[in-house]
Amino acid sequence: ETGVTQTPRHLVMGMTNKKSLKCEQHLGHNAMYWYKQSAKKPLELMFVYNFKEQTENNSVPSRFSPECPNSSHLFLHLHTLQPEDSALYLCASSQETGKGSSPLHFGNGTRLTVT
Amino acid sequence: GQNIDQPTEMTATEGAIVQINCTYQTSGFNGLFWYQQHAGEAPTFLSYNVLDGLEEKGRFSSFLSRSKGYSYLLLKELQMKDSASYLCAVRDSDYKLSFGAGTTVTVRA
């Protein structure tokens, strides 16, 4: 089993749909993250969880709703999205936040297309 | 906000050396990371610098100058498989990691 697994790999949804992205990490880490990656733009941090507690919400619209039931699982619930939300959504984990040398380990991402 | 700049694209020949520069302006500093991302895949961790100087890992080396807000990633003996996007990321005083837009390196035969 690879370190960080994301499902689905691809998702096409209409603006009125509700869907969820799932992330699971098998590294024993305590921090998990959602990033948005759009073409030619820097990765944008969306949410951070440390020991299951949300520590960062980077001014993300409420149509994105994260959930972290335990340190190994992270979800991103989507509803009434806009076409500009189409992007690659990357999940990552690290030992914990507040540890400078701890790198992020990323999943392969979910390619989201909003029609 | 944080500002991290790196070139958009670079092209080099197989067997050659390429240097990818990264300059940053952040609120505090707790380390700089380089990641490699192949198309359609996850970014993977390459290197970490927190002190000034050069860190060498096989064909890849990373350099940091904190006083200049500058880093570079050096790729030696380029191989076709090194064609990828290279991301520079800086951890600030709040331990948040901010990324540059990435440098796409194309290796030609």
Side-chain angles (χ1 to χ4, degrees), chain B residues 42-60:
Chain B
T44 54
F45 169 68
L46 287 179
S47 68
Y48 170 73
N49 294 72
V50 67
L51 299 176
D52 289 352
L54 188 68
E55 294 281 342
E56 297 188 77
K57 266 188 187 181
R59 293 189 299 114
F60 293 1

Side-chain angles (χ1 to χ4, degrees), chain B residues 22-37:
Chain B
C22 172
T23 57
Y24 63 90
Q25 290 176 302
T26 56
S27 50
F29 180 81
N30 272 303
L32 185 144
F33 296 80
W34 284 97
Y35 283 83
Q36 179 192 60
Q37 186 178 23

Side-chain angles (χ1 to χ4, degrees), chain A residues 45-48 54-62 64 66, chain B residues 96:
Chain A
L45 178 64
M46 300 175 73
F47 301 105
V48 181
Q54 187 178 129
T55 58
E56 184 78 30
N57 176 339
N58 206 25
S59 302
V60 180
S62 59
F64 294 92
Chain B
K96 284 200 299 189

Side-chain angles (χ1 to χ4, degrees), chain B residues 77-95:
Chain B
E77 300 168 21
L78 278 174
Q79 301 176 8
M80 299 300 287
K81 67 179 181 179
D82 298 329
S83 292
S85 182
Y86 292 85
L87 311 177
C88 174
V90 178
R91 195 161 255 157
D92 65 18
S93 55
D94 292 328
Y95 293 93

Side-chain angles (χ1 to χ4, degrees), chain A residues 3 29 31 46 49 61-62 64 69 80 84 87 96-97 111:
Chain A
H29 289 164
M46 300 175 73
Y49 280 82
S62 59
F64 294 92
T80 58
E84 60 265 28
E96 58 185 89
T97 60
R111 173 68 62 186

